[in-house]
Amino acid sequence: FLDEVLTVSLGGEPRRAPEGDGPRMRGLAARGPEPLLALLDRCLEAEMQIDRRVQLELILESLFDALGRRLAA
């Protein structure tokens, strides 16, 4: 989803997004590419933690907390 939003923020068209996600995607895309890259980076960090076998519950809690704080800003 976030990679599609990044595409929209850079002036492209989403390729795989469901039709109902258009307004939500445009709202996030209006923030610009830098905040979206920070969100993607945090998701990749969580993926690395999963690969390292960190407790999944802690990873998800931390990820959602970080995404919520960044989206609320």
Side-chain angles (χ1 to χ4, degrees), residues 6-40:
L6 184 60
T7 300
V8 171
S9 76
L10 296 172
E13 291 293 322
R15 295 163 292 194
R16 303 179 304 257
E19 287 187 32
D21 285 345
R24 189 175 305 134
M25 291 180 85
R26 285 189 295 279
L28 285 172
R31 296 171 183 252
E34 291 299 320
L36 296 172
L37 288 172
L39 294 174
L40 283 167

Side-chain angles (χ1 to χ4, degrees), residues 2 37-67 70:
L2 289 175
L37 288 172
L39 294 174
L40 283 167
D41 187 52
R42 183 59 185 91
C43 290
L44 291 173
E45 184 180 326
E47 182 180 22
M48 287 186 342
Q49 292 171 338
I50 291 170
D51 290 343
R52 291 181 187 155
R53 308 261 189 238
V54 176
Q55 189 175 0
L56 185 59
E57 182 179 329
L58 296 176
I59 295 169
L60 292 176
E61 182 181 350
S62 175
L63 173 64
F64 293 143
D65 182 56
L67 293 178
R70 290 180 179 160

